[in-house]
Structure formats: structure tokens, C-alpha cells
Amino acid sequence: MRVFRLDDLEAERAANNGAYLSFLRERNMSAGLYALQAGELDTQAPHQQDEIYLVVSGRAAITVGEETTTVARGSVVYVPAGVAHRFHHVTEDLRVMVVFSPPEA
């Protein structure tokens, strides 16, 4: 078993001055913490893996393919591999747990 605490992950992510912290990599999946500040642009490109986003805190809109919705704490979004997606209109600092399957390359 491995246990992670969001406060510890956020501190590590911030200390490394990056928007993304990968904290778990296993044979069939990987996980990370993604952060965008209010007003910040999301510049990610489509991934080769299926993804699940769990919004830990904050508020934004997300567009996946041609669909757009708003997300906030507790929202879960599935993004199929290869589909264009991005967060936008980030109105509150956003923290998102990301799970990739298979693991992120």
C-alpha cells in the first residue's frame, strides 16, 4: 500500500515550480496532481492514454472534444486517449488529480 496526502503533494509540486507533479507510476496506471492558477491558460495537448480528472479544489470550465462543461470540487471528468481537451475560464485556483491508463509516457 502507498498513501499520499494532498497537502504534501501540493507542497512538493509547488517546490518544484511546475504545474504538474507525477506521484505514482505502476504497470497499468499513473497519477499526478495538476494545478492552474485563476486566469492561467492550460496549454496541454492530447495524451496517448485515457485520463480521469478529479477536481480537488477550484473552479473552471473544461472542453473535451466538442463538449464544454463547468467543473468544481468533486467533479470527475473522463477524457479518452487522443481527444483534445483543456481547462479554461479558471476562476478559482484549480487543483486536479489526474489518473492515466496505461501509464503516462
Side-chain angles (χ1 to χ4, degrees):
M1 175 173 62
R2 294 177 67 187
V3 176
F4 302 94
R5 305 225 183 309
L6 285 173
D7 289 345
D8 295 340
L9 295 172
E10 174 59 16
E12 184 178 347
R13 185 206 57 78
N16 290 312
N17 296 318
Y20 184 72
L21 170 71
S22 178
F23 64 87
L24 178 69
R25 184 176 181 80
E26 296 293 335
R27 185 172 52 89
N28 293 316
M29 62 179 278
S30 62
L33 183 65
Y34 186 50
L36 292 170
Q37 303 305 315
E40 188 175 358
L41 296 176
D42 180 7
T43 60
Q44 65 180 316
H47 300 95
Q48 300 292 323
Q49 305 83 5
D50 288 340
E51 294 176 77
I52 293 176
Y53 289 113
L54 168 61
V55 178
V56 174
S57 63
R59 186 173 302 276
I62 186 171
T63 298
V64 178
E66 300 294 319
E67 296 180 83
T68 299
T69 192
T70 57
V71 294
R73 183 179 180 272
S75 297
V76 178
V77 180
Y78 167 69
V79 180
V83 175
H85 59 285
R86 69 181 180 91
F87 291 97
H88 51 95
H89 296 96
V90 180
T91 57
E92 296 175 13
D93 292 354
L94 191 66
R95 299 299 180 267
V96 182
M97 182 174 301
V98 186
V99 178
F100 291 99
S101 181
E104 181 182 30

